Amino acid sequence: MCNSIIYCVDVINTDDILPSLEDQGVHQLYPKGPNIDFKKELRSLNRELQLHILELADILVERPSQYARRVEDISLIFKNLHHLLNSLRPHQARATLIHILELQIQRRKQAVDDIKRRREEARRLLKESIGTLEDTDASFVLK
């Protein structure tokens, strides 16, 4: 377990690479390459999944013996969705880490402001105390 965020950043292994779908023997339904529009592709796969589920329902009603092909198609879509989501995990982890660090900075700034405010209050109380002591010393001298 990490005791500080800075230490945790050093421990994260960024060399881990998600194996491609082809390496796993699965047909990739979305475009290959580094510049994938994740939002567009996830929406597209989701629509395709919905269509295949409706078709599966039709087949189960009309020709129950022919459902296996649709189940395989749905399985392929789920594998592609799962792979796309897993490929977003490093981005999610980075965004979460940035958010945590920003919160730490904000808390530390608030702590510094609180310390400054308390320091000024302590100075004010010291000045009042010194003033009160000087007044009492002056009144003792006059008596």
Side-chain angles (χ1 to χ4, degrees), residues 1-12 97 100-101 104 108:
M1 184 94 206
C2 296
N3 294 332
S4 77
I5 293 298
I6 304 304
Y7 176 72
C8 288
V9 173
D10 292 338
V11 172
I12 294 174
L97 185 60
I100 289 170
L101 291 173
Q104 282 184 352
R108 288 178 181 168

Side-chain angles (χ1 to χ4, degrees), residues 27-38:
H27 175 67
Q28 185 169 324
L29 299 175
Y30 55 89
K32 297 174 185 161
N35 299 325
I36 297 171
D37 184 356
F38 288 97

Side-chain angles (χ1 to χ4, degrees), residues 57-69:
D58 271 348
I59 287 173
L60 286 173
V61 169
E62 295 174 10
R63 306 175 301 270
S65 61
Q66 299 177 359
Y67 76 93
R69 173 75 180 143

Side-chain angles (χ1 to χ4, degrees), residues 128-142:
E128 287 176 10
S129 298
I130 290 171
T132 305
L133 285 174
E134 287 174 351
D135 289 344
T136 55
D137 282 346
S139 64
F140 281 124
V141 170
L142 292 175

Side-chain angles (χ1 to χ4, degrees), residues 29 39-49 77:
L29 299 175
K39 188 175 182 181
K40 177 184 165 225
E41 296 306 327
L42 287 168
R43 280 186 178 166
S44 173
L45 287 171
N46 189 34
R47 276 189 233 107
E48 195 171 336
L49 178 64
I77 294 169

